[in-house]
């Protein structure tokens, strides 16, 4: 017996699939399943997070509905996956954030933005908020750099801690033996698999989204989003280094590394999220976990808002709009950071961990 | 919308592998093609939906196949399983063509399973479809659509107008739209066998057929085959011959597919409803042991049997869809199976006493056997003595039938008077009996459909243009 109804269903499906195995060439889920004959809650959560929701095993299954065996692996694993995020959330008290996630994220985002606006207004005189500031240190007229660094550093550290605690719980539940460390080779393999989204290709033809014609669009938009995010993150890191190591203050010229990275990343984070959202709306409802729509949309929008507000700031940083734009941008980024462990962001983390586990399992098999 | 008032060059009846190969090849040869698939879209592709691999000859190992599998070897295998009941000329032709099919099918968008290393061991004789039969069908349908083949679902053909071996038109019945007369210059019949037609099966098997389970599509009711035979097409094959395996008795009546099979027979014993053994469970290794049990169970009272084994072997075979039925004692197990407890205990005690010492190895014909009981278990005999005791109830599961239409190398139907039909071709299960008089070698259903489908389409297109 399993903890939840969806795990019960996932177990039923894995039993069907394990006696069939036609999909074993499509992705990692099926070979991983074949290494087991019975499935614990942890096993099922592991398989659920290995699934990239490419939809191939639904389109290719002779038992998908209306067949009486009613096999819908992508949807079942999507629901299980969403539930697994809550199951491993840290601290436990915040697990509830996954239940109406869209609302939760939007509230936090709105509050953060408001807090920055009021914060700016409170510590400075209102004129500063709408004033025109240029040259190095312009941003810090609104908020001292150290305050900014402290606030964001703390938010990020908290997010990292919470994520790590979640991952630890997940690793415990899926790993055997408990406490097992992974090896560099598996780690590298997982990084490669994650970096190229190897399992979002339906075994080679592409992802199935609105119908039975595979495309690579979801993969492409995913790449835009992921690498866009990575570039933005890199921009922040370089900026921080500039500040502390080189004592060079933001804003930087358009050709300077943090701005170039940030701009490229920002573009990725505009194209990617818009693409993902439009693909999501087109997606065949039979593959979709409706419960998750809020969470997915909220995360995509947060990424989009981050990039759009960042780009807007770049464009209008020498105008009176700079103050409100900075507040908006910082508010969104702040909200993004602190909600990271409690929203769709975690899917990447858990998927990566699952990939590590898979690479590890494969290796042990080969030995 | 498909314009049904026009006259098509080629009309294909069916929607499985044979039909799609024919449609694509006819279209590539320049013909206008209409495919009428009797099933709704989800169920398109009949039994092909449930397939997994195809047997093709090849001269060297490839990315998807280990080692060579020569034409001669393929022919010997076919000779073996059919006991010589095959049309040598057609069979050799098919085997020769199968070499090229390996590549042709890829050109139609179908993908093969590459070696993943580790868990997946590739075959030498059979190539596996990546994602299985439905994935391969999806690819064929996409290609056919892109080429401009017209396809109708829920389009059952209920009558054929044929005069002197010449096809004139077909009566189409649709849920909405009712009956329509469809005209075409040539016909390719690829509508499968009649295994889903229990009434027809009863003609040969009697009431026993009521207890048969049909592993594949409920839409292969043999209507087209029956019409063709009634209108003068020469018949081939023994109607009682079919591919039948023992499948879980709890499986659905139709369409349970591959996952209801059991390959645990060699690890235990098989008893009938009187708790008696009736055949040597250790006679031969896969695939032979797999393909004979359908018939063996069909010959037992009420067409039911039970594979009985103990807890030591559960992990030796593929995981099963339905869990085994378990009992802490033989008597408890008998109770759950509704068998006579004393009789089952006696059978198992007798069997256990007859088991001789040996070295167990299920990959070869090992030396674990019984002595002094009938029937003997000639290999892999080990005592059933470690509780819990386990069982799977099994029934005959019909895969497909062999009665069909006679064809020549052009896949053209032959009439009863020996002449070839003016414009009618057949491919796939509906003419499988030409090659498979009896028996079965895994993956050959797809070979028959692909090879003769491709030929039929090409020849039909040529015929239509003349
Ligand atoms: C569980 C299972 C597993 C199998 N595995 C393999 C395997 O791995 N490899 C292999 O080679 N073979 C396998 N086979 C056998 C294989 O499925 C058949 O040999 C093959 O599918 C026959 O192809 P076909 O195109 O002739 O017929 P089908 O694929 O059965 O297609 C017949 C089509 O005709 C349609 N039809 C029927 N009557 C009408 C009508 N009156 N009007 C319009 N349309 C009609 C049906 O809807 C169907 O689409 C398996 C069979 C089963 C049941
Ligand atoms: S999804 Fe369907 S076809 Fe794929 S392994 Fe599972 S049961 Fe088989
Ligand atoms: S990744 Fe694709 S093929 Fe694999 S389980 Fe998920 S939906 Fe199915």
């Amino acid at each position: 017996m399993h903890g939840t109804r969806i795990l019960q269903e996932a177990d039923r499906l894995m039993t069907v699939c394990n006696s069939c195995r036609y999909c074993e060439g499509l992705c990692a889920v099926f070979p991983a399943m074949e290494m087991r004959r019975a499935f614990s809650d942890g096993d099922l959560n592991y398989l659920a997070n290995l699934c990239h929701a490419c939809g191939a095993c639904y389109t290719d299954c002779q038992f998908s509905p209306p067949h009486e065996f009613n096999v819908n692996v992508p949807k079942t694993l999507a629901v299980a996956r969403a539930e697994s995020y809550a199951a491993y959330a840290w601290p436990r008290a915040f697990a509830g954030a996954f239940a109406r996630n869209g609302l939760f994220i939007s509230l936090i985002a709105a509050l953060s933005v408001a807090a920055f606006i009021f914060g700016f207004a409170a510590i400075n005189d209102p004129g500063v908020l709408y004033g025109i500031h240029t040259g190095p240190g312009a941003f810090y007229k609104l908020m001292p750099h150290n305050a900014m660094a402290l606030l964001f550093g703390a938010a990020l550290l908290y997010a990292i801690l919470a994520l790590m605690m979640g991952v630890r719980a997940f690793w415990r539940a899926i790993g055997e033996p408990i406490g097992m460390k992974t090896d560099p080779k598996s780690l590298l393999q997982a990084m490669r698999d994650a970096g190229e989204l190897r399992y979002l290709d339906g075994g080679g033809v592409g992802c199935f989204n609105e119908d039975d014609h595979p495309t690579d669009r979801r993969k492409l938009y995913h790449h835009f989003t992921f690498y866009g995010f990575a570039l933005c993150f890199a921009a922040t890191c370089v900026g921080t280094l500039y500040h502390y190591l080189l004592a060079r203050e933001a804003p930087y010229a358009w050709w300077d590394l943090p701005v170039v990275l940030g701009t490229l990343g920002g573009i990725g984070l505009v194209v990617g999220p818009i693409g993902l959202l439009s693909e999501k709306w087109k997606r065949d409802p039979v593959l979709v976990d409706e419960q998750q729509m809020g969470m997915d949309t909220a995360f995509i929008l947060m990424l989009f808002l981050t990039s759009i507000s960042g780009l807007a700031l770049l464009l209008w940083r020498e105008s009176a709009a700079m103050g409100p734009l900075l507040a908006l941008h910082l508010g969104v980024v702040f909200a993004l950071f602190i909600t990271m462990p409690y929203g769709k962001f975690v899917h990447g983390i858990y998927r990566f961990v699952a990939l590590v586990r898979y690479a590890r399992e494969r290796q042990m098999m080969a030995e | 919308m498909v314009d049904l008032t026009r006259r098509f060059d080629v009309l294909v009846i069916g929607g499985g592998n044979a039909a799609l190969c024919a449609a694509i090849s006819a279209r590539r040869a320049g013909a206008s093609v209409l495919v009428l698939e009797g099933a709704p879209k989800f169920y398109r592709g009949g039994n092909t939906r449930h397939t997994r691999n195809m047997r093709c000859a090849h001269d060297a190992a490839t990315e998807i196949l280990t080692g060579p599998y020569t034409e001669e070897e393929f022919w010997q295998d076919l000779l073996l399983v059919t006991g010589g009941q095959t049309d040598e000329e057609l069979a050799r032709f098919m085997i020769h063509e199968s070499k090229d099919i390996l590549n042709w099918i890829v050109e139609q968008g179908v993908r093969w399973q590459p070696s993943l290393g580790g868990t997946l061991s590739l075959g030498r004789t059979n190539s596996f479809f990546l994602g299985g039969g439905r994935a391969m069908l999806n690819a064929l349908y996409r290609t056919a659509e892109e080429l401009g083949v017209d396809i109708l679902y829920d389009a059952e053909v209920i009558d054929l107008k044929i005069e002197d071996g010449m096809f004139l038109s077909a009566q189409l019945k649709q849920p909405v739209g009712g009956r329509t007369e469809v005209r075409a210059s040539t016909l390719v019949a690829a509508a499968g066998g009649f295994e889903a037609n229990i009434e027809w099966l009863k003609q040969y098997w009697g009431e026993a057929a009521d207890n048969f389970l049909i592993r594949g599509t409920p839409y292969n009711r043999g209507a087209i085959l029956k019409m063709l035979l009634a209108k003068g097409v020469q018949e081939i094959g023994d109607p009682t011959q079919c591919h039948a395996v023992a499948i879980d008795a709890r499986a659905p009546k139709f369409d349970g597919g591959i996952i209801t099979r059991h390959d645990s027979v060699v690890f235990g014993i098989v008893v009938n409803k009187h708790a008696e053994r009736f055949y040597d469970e250790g006679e031969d290794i896969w695939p032979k042991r797999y393909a004979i049990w359908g018939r063996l169970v069909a010959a037992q009272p009420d067409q039911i049997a039970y594979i009985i084994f103990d807890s030591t072997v559960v992990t030796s075979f593929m995981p099963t869809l339905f869990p085994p039925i378990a009992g802490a004692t033989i008597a408890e197990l008998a109770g759950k199976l509704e068998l006579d407890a004393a009789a089952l205990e006696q059978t198992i005690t007798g069997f256990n006493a007859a088991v001789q010492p040996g070295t167990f190895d299920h990959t070869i014909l090992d030396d674990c056997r019984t002595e002094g009981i009938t029937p003997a278990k000639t290999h892999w005999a080990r005592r059933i003595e470690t509780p819990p005791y386990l069982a799977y109830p099994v029934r005959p599961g019909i895969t497909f039938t062999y009665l069909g239409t006679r064809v020549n190398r052009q896949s053209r139907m032959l009439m009863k008077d020996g002449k070839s039909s003016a414009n009618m071709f057949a491919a796939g299960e509906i003419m499988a009996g030409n090659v498979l008089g009896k028996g079965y070698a895994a993956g050959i259903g797809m070979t028959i459909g692909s090879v003769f489908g491709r030929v039929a389409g090409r020849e039909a297109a040529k015929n239509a243009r003349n």
Side-chain angles (χ1 to χ4, degrees):
Chain A
M1 279 309 281
H2 291 285
T4 66
R5 198 196 55 78
I6 198 69
L7 289 180
Q8 200 65 38
E9 171 66 359
D11 188 316
R12 182 184 79 86
L13 293 193
M14 288 301 105
T15 304
V16 175
C17 293
N18 217 359
S19 60
C20 169
R21 302 187 168 185
Y22 279 19
C23 291
E24 63 190 355
L26 295 181
C27 72
V29 170
F30 298 93
M33 163 200 84
E34 288 175 19
M35 295 179 206
R36 298 159 168 78
R37 285 180 92 95
F39 306 92
S40 67
D41 283 10
D43 288 334
L44 294 169
N45 285 339
Y46 160 54
L47 295 173
N49 280 287
L50 258 188
C51 168
H52 288 46
C54 77
C57 65
Y58 177 83
T59 316
D60 292 348
C61 179
Q62 64 272 40
F63 306 121
S64 39
H67 192 283
E68 63 180 288
F69 289 160
N70 194 23
V71 174
N72 187 339
V73 176
K75 178 162 177 171
T76 305
L77 293 190
V79 181
R81 197 158 55 236
E83 288 192 4
S84 78
Y85 304 153
Y88 301 115
W90 182 91
R92 299 292 316 133
F94 288 175
F98 284 98
R100 307 183 59 195
N101 197 260
L103 184 67
F104 166 76
I105 303 272
S106 11
L107 276 178
I108 300 269
L111 286 175
S112 309
V113 174
F116 274 93
I117 294 183
F118 286 119
F120 287 179
I123 50 172
N124 303 301
D125 73 86
V128 179
L129 184 57
Y130 297 105
I132 293 176
H133 313 278
T134 51
F139 293 155
Y140 312 130
K141 303 232 168 61
L142 286 157
M143 186 176 189
H145 182 268
N146 284 344
M148 216 188 265
L150 195 71
L151 200 56
F152 282 85
L156 189 62
L157 280 180
Y158 173 76
I160 292 175
L161 174 71
L163 284 169
M164 277 173 56
M165 294 302 284
V167 163
R168 195 164 151 255
F170 181 50
W171 189 245
R172 275 238 177 110
I174 67 173
E176 41 177 297
I178 290 172
M180 188 192 76
K181 300 268 184 301
T182 195
D183 56 318
K185 209 168 150 194
S186 304
L187 213 56
L188 209 68
Q189 179 66 45
M191 280 161 80
R192 221 179 288 142
D193 292 344
E196 65 189 41
L197 283 175
R198 171 154 168 212
Y199 298 115
L200 195 64
D201 71 352
V205 280
C207 180
F208 292 82
N209 197 40
E210 60 268 34
D211 56 22
D212 53 12
H213 291 254
T215 72
D216 278 327
R217 287 195 305 266
R218 279 185 71 222
K219 191 169 176 171
L220 182 73
Y221 294 136
H222 241 102
H223 279 326
F224 267 109
T225 310
F226 175 76
Y227 290 104
F229 185 84
L231 286 170
C232 289
F233 194 72
T236 312
C237 293
V238 175
T240 309
L241 292 177
Y242 270 24
H243 188 89
Y244 288 109
L245 291 183
L246 308 177
R248 288 177 56 187
E249 293 203 329
Y252 306 105
W254 66 266
W255 46 259
D256 214 344
L257 193 55
V259 182
V260 172
L261 289 173
T263 309
L264 287 177
I267 293 171
L269 271 187
V270 170
V271 177
I274 291 180
L276 284 178
L277 209 55
S278 86
E279 292 301 309
K280 198 166 278 299
W281 280 331
K282 277 189 264 173
R283 195 160 170 87
D284 185 344
V286 74
L287 296 171
V288 174
D289 167 19
E290 317 80 36
Q291 300 289 318
Q292 235 189 94
M293 279 306 262
M295 168 164 80
D296 293 3
T297 313
F299 180 57
I300 293 176
L301 285 178
M302 284 299 285
L303 291 176
F304 178 71
L305 279 176
T306 305
S307 58
I308 265 299
S309 59
L311 290 173
L313 186 61
L314 181 68
L315 282 176
W316 286 292
R317 63 186 182 186
E318 291 180 359
S319 78
M322 190 266 255
L325 282 175
L326 185 65
L328 177 68
H329 184 62
L330 294 182
V332 172
V333 174
F334 184 78
L336 184 71
F337 279 10
I338 58 165
T339 59
M340 247 159 27
Y342 312 109
K344 186 62 187 264
F345 179 81
V346 298
H347 86 282
I349 307 280
Y350 287 145
R351 184 156 290 154
F352 179 72
V353 173
L355 284 169
V356 175
R357 174 84 186 113
Y358 178 65
R360 170 92 195 127
E361 277 188 326
R362 289 293 300 258
Q363 193 156 318
M364 291 191 310
M365 283 268 305
E367 274 159 15
Chain B
M1 271 309 284
V2 179
D3 175 13
L4 290 177
T5 58
R6 70 186 274 211
R7 182 190 174 91
F8 288 86
D9 291 335
V10 180
L11 172 68
V12 179
I13 305 179
N17 171 51
L20 270 287
C21 286
I24 289 171
S25 118
R27 184 78 193 114
R28 289 204 188 276
S32 61
V33 183
L34 173 66
V35 172
L36 298 179
E37 159 62 293
K41 185 170 180 192
F42 171 78
Y43 282 100
R44 72 183 183 187
N47 284 345
T48 303
R49 284 170 51 242
H50 292 293
T51 65
R52 150 172 245 184
N53 62 43
M54 171 146 97
R55 182 180 290 256
C56 291
H58 50 98
D59 291 327
T62 65
E63 201 188 330
I64 54 161
L65 287 157
T66 62
Y69 184 52
T70 63
E71 288 185 45
E72 188 53 31
E73 202 183 343
F74 193 157
W75 164 245
Q76 290 302 331
D77 284 347
L78 187 65
L79 211 51
L80 204 70
V81 295
T82 58
Q85 288 188 42
T86 175
D87 177 325
E88 179 163 355
E89 191 204 338
L90 276 182
R92 283 193 185 268
F93 167 71
M94 177 191 84
I95 291 169
H96 179 70
E97 291 283 304
S98 78
K99 278 179 153 174
D100 193 37
I101 282 290
L102 261 180
N103 304 318
W104 184 79
I105 207 88
V106 171
E107 285 159 24
Q108 314 320 317
V110 173
R111 292 169 306 139
W112 298 115
Q113 170 95 59
S115 171
L116 296 181
T119 44
L120 286 188
S121 51
L122 294 177
R124 186 173 66 88
T125 57
N126 292 44
S127 319
F128 289 75
F129 304 123
L130 183 62
R134 190 162 171 232
M136 87 77 94
L137 273 170
N138 289 343
L140 291 181
Y141 272 95
R142 278 197 296 272
T143 303
E145 280 165 10
E146 278 158 21
L147 290 172
V149 170
D150 282 312
I151 299 165
L152 284 181
Y153 300 110
D154 270 322
E156 187 189 355
V157 173
I158 52 163
D159 201 11
L160 295 175
K161 208 180 269 177
I162 294 169
E163 268 170 30
D164 294 331
M166 169 118 175
F167 166 77
L168 301 174
S169 67
Q171 269 284 328
L172 163 67
K173 193 174 126 215
Q174 290 173 285
V176 229
R179 291 164 190 240
T180 323
E181 174 112 352
V182 180
R183 291 166 311 126
S185 307
T186 54
L187 171 74
V188 177
F194 65 98
E195 60 278 350
N197 189 335
I198 306 285
E199 289 308 310
W200 195 351
L201 290 175
K202 273 191 189 171
Q203 279 182 27
Y204 314 110
W205 293 86
E207 296 305 311
D210 271 333
N211 286 325
F212 291 178
L213 301 176
I214 313 307
R215 302 174 71 208
T217 181
Y219 294 93
N220 283 1
R221 301 180 40 79
I224 303 298
L225 174 61
K226 198 167 236 170
M227 288 174 221
L228 290 169
L229 297 184
K231 301 211 165 149
V233 175
Q234 195 178 321
E235 169 178 316
I236 181 96
D238 175 350
T240 71
Q241 284 295 339
C242 60
H243 182 252
V245 298
I247 64 169
D248 202 293
R250 295 162 287 184
K253 182 78 181 168
F254 294 102
D255 219 50
I258 193 75
I259 63 180
T260 59
R261 73 187 173 302
H262 285 299
D263 51 6
S264 48
V265 167
V266 290
F267 298 101
I269 59 169
V270 184
V271 301
N272 63 16
K273 72 173 228 182
H274 303 307
E276 291 160 347
R277 290 177 59 244
F278 53 89
Y279 198 81
D280 176 3
E281 301 89 348
E283 185 187 57
D284 208 344
I285 40 182
W286 203 94
K288 189 172 172 201
R289 73 176 187 228
Y290 175 69
I292 58 174
W293 283 91
R295 279 174 177 277
L296 291 171
V297 175
Q300 294 305 306
D302 291 349
Q303 295 71 49
I304 184 121
Y306 305 87
I307 306 172
I308 297 182
F309 50 99
D310 70 15
S311 55
T312 57
V313 298
V314 263
T315 52
S316 306
F317 43 84
M318 280 273 290
T320 55
L321 173 66
F322 299 99
I325 296 166
T329 60
I330 302 283
E332 190 192 326
L333 182 65
K336 287 192 184 168
L337 301 177
E338 294 176 18
L339 297 178
D340 183 88
L344 186 61
E345 272 168 351
Q346 199 189 346
T347 299
I348 292 184
T349 317
F351 172 78
N352 285 348
V355 170
Q356 301 301 308
T359 314
F360 181 85
D361 183 350
H362 72 97
T363 58
I364 54 164
L365 295 167
D366 71 1
D367 62 350
C368 296
R369 57 192 178 80
T370 60
E371 227 163 58
I373 49 165
T374 351
K377 185 174 178 187
T378 50
H379 304 284
W380 314 298
R382 286 186 301 180
R383 281 199 275 276
I384 298 171
E385 55 186 5
T386 314
Y389 300 97
L390 304 162
Y392 293 119
V394 289
R395 287 202 181 277
I398 312 299
T399 317
F400 68 88
T401 50
Y402 293 170
L403 175 72
T405 58
R406 189 90 176 93
V407 298
N408 66 14
R409 271 171 60 153
Q410 293 180 331
S411 235
R412 195 184 284 271
M413 290 186 220
L414 297 178
M415 308 306 291
K416 289 202 173 96
D417 58 16
K419 290 206 199 96
S420 53
S421 160
N423 62 351
M424 300 197 294
F425 301 81
E429 223 173 276
I430 202 170
M431 47 66 68
N434 287 275
V435 181
L436 277 179
K438 69 168 206 210
Y440 187 70
I444 220 169
M446 288 289 101
T447 320
I448 296 173
S450 308
V451 167
F452 289 102
R454 181 187 181 193
V455 171
R458 191 171 62 209
E459 294 297 326
K462 205 193 286 173
N463 202 108
R465 278 205 309 270
N466 290 341

